[in-house]
Amino acid sequence: MNTRRKFIKLSILSSASLFITKQLFAHTAKKYDTVKDNAIVISTWDFGKAANAAAWEVLKNNGKALDAVEAGVKVPEADPDVQSVGLGGRPDRDGRVTLDACIMDEKNNCGSVACLEHIVHAISVARMVMEKTPHIILVGDGALQFALENGFKKENLLTAKSENEWKKWLEKTEYKPVMNIENEHYHPKGDKDNHDTIGMVAMDNNGDFSGACTTSGLSYKMHGRVGDSPIIGAGLFVDNEVGAATATGVGEEVIRIAGAHLIVEFMRNGDEPEVACRKAVERIIQKSPKDLKDVQVGFLAMNKKGEYGAYSLQKGFTYCIRSGKEEKIHDAKSAF
Ligand code: ASP
């Protein structure tokens, strides 16, 4: 090989290795940036803001999405002024506060409790079902027994306020799920506040997803009624390759179409989160045998890129987002 050819060959080789090295560094640098910026949490309704703040404390310190969503939804569970979740929740028609909750992590582990009485943090019981039992769902007395055996405290969840409202309801006993509940605690000036179930979905700095969903269910439901919130695939679904989705509103409509799972599948097929949520709402409209005029359902979803979106049947559904860049309450678009 003459010197000139050797020189050309060498310079080609060295520029190739320089290119590869650069690419490697670029990749590492990019990965680092992405990892740092990943964390994001979204949740349903205005009370999601305080819940997101608690979740954010975990996420910003490189905590796991699973710990973040549990810490987040425990906030409204413990707040007696949130009358649709945990302590202070509105009772069923027999005056019993029965809670539904579920949790799911990035490895498709999931746990759930339904119709659980006397325990404020239903979500933590659901997590314990996931981590300590061979099962996924425990209900009623069995769920309570499991909680008590595992150190949870038995409490009266029916506050005077919710009890008085129930007694007033008994005068007419008209069963009509309220579309968007007004809450003077959150909007003392009498503005509209809409809230029901808290559904929360988070991605941590590792890019892993988890979700949690917890509620006292529809007010004045029949005793024993279970909604969508503790049903994996209806009120909540996580697929770490794709993203996650959660639901709020009239659970019967959500269960009918396996709402959260459907949304994740739409995202898997390339739909952005808002489009996926809209398509799920349209599926309800298409499939429901009921008149949906007074029925609210809201869906909320996030994909692996950290893009999020929501859609509801009726106006009035709000959701909250918290990340390193944003802390906001959004109004969801709606079909009607
Ligand atoms: N989805 C809940 C249920 O059906 C209630 C709600 O979100 O308003 O129990």
Side-chain angles (χ1 to χ4, degrees), residues 145-175:
Q145 185 187 328
F146 171 74
L148 296 176
E149 282 168 6
N150 281 282
F152 287 86
K153 213 170 96 210
K154 193 169 178 174
E155 284 177 61
N156 174 25
L157 304 183
L158 186 63
T159 54
K161 190 174 180 204
S162 288
E163 188 176 6
N164 289 339
E165 286 180 15
W166 165 64
K167 285 189 173 148
K168 219 163 155 213
W169 177 83
L170 281 178
E171 289 165 14
K172 281 197 189 156
T173 61
E174 190 188 15
Y175 182 63

Side-chain angles (χ1 to χ4, degrees), residues 196-197 215 217-218 225 227-229 248-251:
D196 303 80
T197 296
T215 187
L218 297 179
R225 179 265 188 189
D228 60 314
S229 309
T248 179
V250 177

Side-chain angles (χ1 to χ4, degrees), residues 43-48 180 194-197 248 316-320:
S43 59
T44 53
W45 305 110
D46 290 8
F47 57 37
N180 301 304
N194 313 307
H195 67 101
D196 303 80
T197 296
T248 179
F317 174 43
T318 60
Y319 64 99
C320 299

Side-chain angles (χ1 to χ4, degrees), residues 42-326:
I42 52 173
S43 59
T44 53
W45 305 110
D46 290 8
F47 57 37
K49 193 175 175 206
N52 283 358
W56 185 248
E57 284 304 306
V58 178
L59 292 174
K60 77 170 190 209
N61 292 314
N62 283 323
K64 279 180 69 66
L66 180 66
D67 296 322
V69 294
E70 183 188 9
V73 303
K74 280 172 84 172
V75 174
E77 276 187 341
D79 184 346
D81 289 313
V82 176
Q83 288 178 278
S84 51
V85 182
L87 175 69
R90 292 191 180 82
D92 63 20
R93 55 189 64 180
D94 296 350
R96 297 161 75 158
V97 181
T98 66
L99 306 181
D100 290 345
C102 77
I103 194 159
M104 189 164 188
D105 75 6
E106 79 280 5
K107 294 186 185 127
N108 280 60
N109 293 311
C110 37
S112 154
V113 288
C115 210
L116 171 66
E117 292 180 79
H118 309 302
I119 307 288
V120 175
H121 292 301
I123 199 65
S124 300
V125 185
R127 180 167 178 178
M128 214 172 254
V129 172
M130 168 172 102
E131 290 176 340
K132 288 200 169 176
T133 79
H135 307 304
I136 290 180
I137 308 179
L138 291 182
V139 305
D141 287 347
L144 177 61
Q145 185 187 328
F146 171 74
L148 296 176
E149 282 168 6
N150 281 282
F152 287 86
K153 213 170 96 210
K154 193 169 178 174
E155 284 177 61
N156 174 25
L157 304 183
L158 186 63
T159 54
K161 190 174 180 204
S162 288
E163 188 176 6
N164 289 339
E165 286 180 15
W166 165 64
K167 285 189 173 148
K168 219 163 155 213
W169 177 83
L170 281 178
E171 289 165 14
K172 281 197 189 156
T173 61
E174 190 188 15
Y175 182 63
K176 239 186 178 185
V178 183
M179 270 217 302
N180 301 304
I181 299 167
E182 316 231 342
N183 184 321
E184 72 280 6
H185 175 74
Y186 280 87
H187 289 279
K189 287 192 198 112
D191 297 349
K192 207 166 183 207
D193 180 39
N194 313 307
H195 67 101
D196 303 80
T197 296
I198 180 135
M200 175 179 278
V201 162
M203 178 164 67
D204 61 28
N205 274 337
N206 217 22
D208 286 332
F209 272 77
S210 284
C213 193
T214 175
T215 187
S216 51
L218 297 179
S219 327
Y220 320 131
K221 59 195 176 186
M222 289 171 70
H223 180 64
R225 179 265 188 189
V226 172
D228 60 314
S229 309
I231 310 291
I232 300 293
L236 177 75
F237 197 71
V238 175
D239 184 322
N240 210 42
E241 281 170 29
V242 178
T246 189
T248 179
V250 177
E252 283 73 8
E253 299 305 324
V254 178
I255 294 171
R256 210 189 293 288
I257 61 150
H261 184 262
L262 182 65
I263 291 167
V264 170
E265 291 309 299
F266 282 142
M267 293 198 293
R268 190 192 307 281
N269 291 330
D271 287 328
E272 285 173 3
E274 185 186 303
V275 175
C277 291
R278 175 171 56 73
K279 284 184 170 176
V281 165
E282 286 165 0
R283 182 70 63 87
I284 290 178
I285 297 170
Q286 185 193 347
K287 296 284 181 188
S288 180
K290 287 169 78 180
D291 175 3
L292 297 172
K293 189 167 59 70
D294 295 322
V295 174
Q296 177 63 303
V297 170
F299 291 119
L300 177 62
M302 180 157 68
N303 67 17
K304 212 49 193 173
K305 291 187 233 161
E307 295 166 342
Y308 59 87
Y311 212 83
S312 56
L313 257 177
Q314 316 283 345
K315 282 195 180 54
F317 174 43
T318 60
Y319 64 99
C320 299
I321 180 253
R322 179 79 206 251
S323 70
K325 295 174 219 128
E326 246 192 312

